[in-house]
Amino acid sequence: MSLLSTINLWYFVGLLVFVFVIWQWFSYRKVAVTSKAYPTVTDITFLFLAFMTFTGVFSFSDKLLNALFSKLGFTVIDAGKLNESQWVLLAAFFILAIAITFILRRGANKANNSNNNVDQGIGNIESGKNSKIKITLNNHSGLPPELSTHLVAEAQRKNEEIDRLKEQLANSLSPEEKIHLSNKINQLESEKKELEDKIKTLEQRLADYSPNNKIVAEANKRFKEKGVDAALAYLENIDFNKALEQSRENANALLIQADLYKIKNKHDKADTSYRTSLRFQRNYDNTLAYANYLFDQNQFNEMIRQLNLFKMEQHSLKPNQKAAIETTLANAYYKNNNFTKAEQAYQEALGIRRALAKANPGAYQSYVATTLNNLALLYSAYNRLREAEQAYLEALGIYKALAKANPGAYQSYVATTLNNLAILYRTGNHLKEAEQAYQEALGIYKALA
C-alpha cells in the first residue's frame, strides 16, 4: 500500500467523521428533544456500516467509490490490506465519533433540562396556582405608576413573543420543532409568572409587616406615594444597629429592602440586605426568600448551606412551610446534580403535601402535582424513565381534575405536563405515545392562544 493511499484513506475517513458531527449537531443540539446522554444502537450501527463500507470491507462499494472519488485523487483500498497500526487508527476514528456523539447528546440533555426547569416558589408564594398571567394596571392598583408601567411593558413584550411562537407552532410540521417551540413558550410563561410573583410577594410582605413595624409602614407609604427609589432611600438612611433589640423588626425591614433592590436588579445590594436580615433573625420568610434569590443567581451551594442552617436550628414550622423548605432544598440539590438528596427532599415534601391534600384537596392538590412534576423531571434527567412516567401521569391526572373546575387557571399546566410526557416518551422511543401526548398538548396550546 502506498503512503498516498494511506493518507487518502484517513483523509476520507476524517471527512466522514466531520459529516457525522454535522449530522449529530443538527439532530441533537439545535433541537434538543432527548435526555439520553449516550449513543444509541442506531448511531453505532450507522457508524459501523459507514466506516466499513467506505473503507472497502464490503466489496460492492469498491467500484462505486472508485468511480466517485478517483477524480478527487482518492484511492479506495481493500480493508484486508490494512496493517495492524492502520486498523488501530481506524478504530480511533470510530471511538472519536462515538465520543462526539456522547458530548453532543450531553449538550442536548442540558438544553432540554433548561427548558424543563423545576417549579421554584418565590418567598412564601409557591408555584402551582397561576396559569396564563395577564398583568394590567388594575392588577396592582396600589403600586407606584413607574412600577405598574414597567410591569405592563414587560408582560406585553413577553405576550407578543409568546403569540409569535404560538403562530410558528401552529404552522410547524416537524414534531421536534413543535416540542422545541412549546418549551420556549413554557419558559416565557414561567418568566411572566416570576415577574408577577416578585410584585405579589413584595405587596404581601408590606401588608403583613406594616401594622407591627413602623419602619416598614413608613417604607410602604413612600413606596406607594413616590415609588421604589423613595422607599429605598428611606431604608438606606436607617442605622439598624442602633436598635439591636428589635431583631425581628429589623430583619423584616431589611427583607423589604432586599426585595426592592431585587426589583431594581441591584443584586449585590440585595444580597447584602438578605444576609443582614438573616443576621438579625433567621426566620422562615427571609430564609426562603434568600434561598430563592440564590437559586436565581445559580448559587446552589450557598443556597443548600443556608437552608440546612435553617433546618439545624429546628424552627417551629407549619406543615406547608416545612414542605416548601424541603421542595426548595430539593430544587437546589437537583441543580447541583445531587440526585440522591434531591429525591429524598422531594419525597419528604410530597409526603407532607399528600397528607395536607387529603384533609383539604382544594388548597393543596396543586402542590402535590407540582412536586410530582419536579420529581418526574429529576427521574427523567437520570434516565429513570418508568418512575418519571408514573410521576408525570399522576400529576397529569391531578391537573386535569383541577382544570375541569377551573380551566383558566390549570389548562396550561395540563399542556405543560403533556408536553413533558411527550418528551419522555420520545426519549424512550415510544413514538406513538409521544405523538398522542404531544397532539393533546398542542390542542390545549391552540385553545389558549
Side-chain angles (χ1 to χ4, degrees):
M1 179 190 305
S2 68
L3 178 62
L4 180 62
S5 297
T6 304
I7 292 174
N8 282 336
L9 172 63
W10 304 133
Y11 178 57
F12 180 75
V13 174
L15 285 177
L16 187 61
V17 172
F18 176 76
V19 171
F20 178 73
V21 170
I22 298 299
W23 173 62
Q24 289 286 313
W25 176 266
F26 281 103
S27 296
Y28 302 121
R29 190 67 179 91
K30 186 178 179 181
V31 181
V33 297
T34 177
S35 65
K36 287 186 178 179
Y38 50 84
T40 64
V41 173
T42 303
D43 297 330
I44 297 173
T45 303
F46 168 82
L47 276 171
F48 180 78
L49 292 176
F51 277 31
M52 295 302 98
T53 299
F54 284 109
T55 53
V57 167
F58 299 124
S59 59
F60 67 81
S61 68
D62 292 354
K63 292 182 180 179
L64 174 63
L65 291 176
N66 276 312
L68 287 175
F69 297 107
S70 60
K71 292 184 179 181
L72 298 177
F74 287 102
T75 305
V76 181
I77 57 175
D78 186 349
K81 297 179 181 178
L82 297 181
N83 59 37
E84 184 176 344
S85 62
Q86 290 164 341
W87 271 112
V88 170
L89 188 55
L90 181 60
F93 272 113
F94 187 85
I95 293 170
L96 174 64
I98 294 290
I100 291 169
T101 306
F102 177 84
I103 292 168
L104 291 175
R105 283 184 177 273
R106 291 282 293 183
N109 184 33
K110 289 180 180 179
N112 186 50
N113 285 339
S114 70
N115 286 326
N116 295 282
N117 289 325
V118 292
D119 290 321
Q120 180 69 10
I122 296 181
N124 50 11
I125 299 175
E126 293 189 59
S127 58
K129 288 198 174 181
N130 265 320
S131 177
K132 189 176 181 181
I133 297 169
K134 299 178 181 178
I135 301 175
T136 66
L137 289 170
N138 294 328
N139 288 122
H140 302 281
S141 56
L143 291 181
E146 54 158 331
L147 195 53
S148 294
T149 302
H150 169 69
L151 278 174
V152 172
E154 278 294 297
Q156 182 63 29
R157 183 181 66 80
K158 292 185 186 299
N159 279 334
E160 289 174 357
E161 178 66 10
I162 288 169
D163 290 341
R164 184 184 67 80
L165 291 171
K166 284 181 176 177
E167 185 176 349
Q168 289 183 27
L169 185 66
N171 296 326
S172 175
L173 299 177
S174 165
E176 290 86 355
E177 185 182 23
K178 286 178 180 179
I179 292 176
H180 181 60
L181 291 169
S182 296
N183 283 331
K184 292 180 72 174
I185 291 170
N186 291 342
Q187 183 64 29
L188 286 169
E189 293 283 7
S190 177
E191 289 172 5
K192 283 171 56 182
K193 182 183 183 304
E194 289 174 8
L195 181 66
E196 175 82 350
D197 279 352
K198 283 182 183 179
I199 305 305
K200 288 172 70 176
T201 300
L202 177 60
E203 289 182 311
Q204 182 175 315
R205 287 198 181 117
L206 287 168
D208 289 346
Y209 298 162
S210 289
N212 302 312
N213 191 319
K214 293 180 180 180
I215 296 174
V216 174
E218 180 62 27
N220 190 18
K221 179 182 176 183
R222 297 190 185 208
F223 171 72
K224 289 181 176 179
E225 291 177 355
K226 298 181 180 180
V228 176
D229 290 334
L232 277 173
Y234 166 71
L235 291 169
E236 286 168 349
N237 286 325
I238 293 176
D239 185 358
F240 290 99
N241 291 318
K242 285 186 176 181
L244 294 175
E245 71 282 357
Q246 299 177 359
S247 58
R248 183 170 183 82
E249 290 81 359
N250 289 346
N252 289 343
L254 285 159
L255 179 55
I256 295 295
Q257 185 181 58
D259 286 342
L260 292 169
Y261 279 135
K262 191 164 67 171
I263 288 172
K264 297 290 288 185
N265 291 320
K266 295 182 177 181
H267 298 298
D268 289 342
K269 290 186 175 181
D271 189 274
T272 300
S273 295
Y274 280 127
R275 288 181 176 275
T276 309
S277 174
L278 290 166
R279 182 166 55 83
F280 276 106
Q281 184 187 75
R282 188 183 299 275
N283 57 52
Y284 172 78
D285 285 354
N286 60 14
T287 297
L288 197 59
Y290 189 39
N292 282 300
Y293 168 80
L294 292 170
F295 184 91
D296 292 338
Q297 301 302 309
N298 296 323
Q299 297 182 35
F300 306 121
N301 287 326
E302 179 62 16
M303 181 180 173
I304 291 168
R305 190 181 77 85
Q306 291 291 341
L307 288 167
N308 280 325
L309 280 173
F310 179 77
K311 289 180 66 176
M312 286 172 61
E313 293 177 3
Q314 297 183 335
H315 294 264
S316 178
L317 296 176
K318 298 176 181 178
N320 63 314
Q321 292 177 328
K322 185 177 180 182
I325 292 292
E326 291 296 334
T327 298
T328 307
L329 185 57
N331 293 344
Y333 281 133
Y334 173 39
K335 288 292 187 178
N336 221 27
N337 296 318
N338 191 329
F339 171 83
T340 301
K341 289 188 176 181
E343 183 184 22
Q344 289 172 352
Y346 278 139
Q347 291 289 2
E348 178 73 18
L350 184 60
I352 295 170
R353 286 172 169 169
R354 285 192 193 278
L356 290 169
K358 189 175 182 180
N360 189 350
Y364 293 105
Q365 276 290 74
S366 63
Y367 293 113
V368 173
T370 296
T371 311
L372 284 165
N373 182 70
N374 288 347
L375 198 54
L377 289 170
L378 178 71
Y379 287 143
S380 179
Y382 285 86
N383 272 329
R384 290 170 60 172
L385 304 186
R386 180 59 63 84
E387 290 158 294
E389 180 188 18
Q390 291 172 349
Y392 275 139
L393 288 174
E394 187 178 353
L396 181 62
I398 294 171
Y399 281 136
K400 283 186 173 181
L402 292 169
K404 283 185 179 180
N406 191 349
Y410 292 105
Q411 276 291 76
S412 68
Y413 284 94
V414 174
T416 299
T417 308
L418 283 166
N419 187 67
N420 289 344
L421 197 55
I423 294 171
L424 181 74
Y425 283 140
R426 187 174 180 84
T427 299
N429 206 31
H430 300 296
L431 302 184
K432 183 179 178 181
E433 291 86 347
E435 181 64 19
Q436 289 174 346
Y438 172 73
Q439 289 298 336
E440 189 176 349
L442 183 59
I444 295 172
Y445 283 129
K446 286 180 178 179
L448 290 174

